[in-house]
Amino acid sequence: QVGLVESGGGLAQAGGSLRLSCTASGRTFTANAMGWFRAAPGKDREFVAGTQRSAGSAYVAAPVKGRFTITRDNDKNTVYLQMDDLKVEDTAVYYCAAGSVTQTFMLARPSSYHSWGQGTRVTVSS
């Protein structure tokens, strides 16, 4: 298991920006992938963005592509989600996850992740 602690959530206005951080601890060597998912009120959890350690590749979901950027600092075991041009529909609890993948498209699958953070709430007002 990998311990994950998210931070950076809060309140933003539409068109504004927030940056989420997720720091991993513990058996981090078991995870070559880290990702962000979100759960809006009354909706299922959905994939937002993911990144692989070795390949350095990233995969961003269509609804946020061009607005959200995922990056990672392997030395700090930290992954970031830069969220720009926020929209009201981005309001959700955002969860960080750690897991293992062999191909980039697997980053979008919740089943690829074995460890999850507690979530950080993002609220975007109009």
Side-chain angles (χ1 to χ4, degrees), residues 92-115:
V93 177
Y94 284 71
Y95 298 90
C96 177
S100 298
V101 302
T102 56
Q103 297 185 62
T104 302
F105 75 90
M106 299 171 69
L107 290 168
R109 295 179 176 178
S111 59
S112 297
Y113 301 89
H114 52 65
S115 301

Side-chain angles (χ1 to χ4, degrees), residues 33-40 43-52 57-65 67-70 79 81 83 89-90 92-99 101 103-113 116:
M34 294 188 75
W36 289 97
F37 290 74
R38 68 184 181 185
K43 295 186 177 180
D44 293 334
R45 190 174 301 189
E46 65 174 354
F47 170 74
V48 177
T51 179
Q52 287 177 267
S57 58
Y59 184 22
V60 181
V64 303
K65 198 167 187 177
R67 300 188 296 118
F68 291 11
T69 304
I70 184 169
V79 63
L81 185 68
M83 306 186 294
E89 52 264 41
D90 294 321
V93 177
Y94 284 71
Y95 298 90
C96 177
V101 302
Q103 297 185 62
T104 302
F105 75 90
M106 299 171 69
L107 290 168
R109 295 179 176 178
S111 59
S112 297
Y113 301 89
W116 294 82

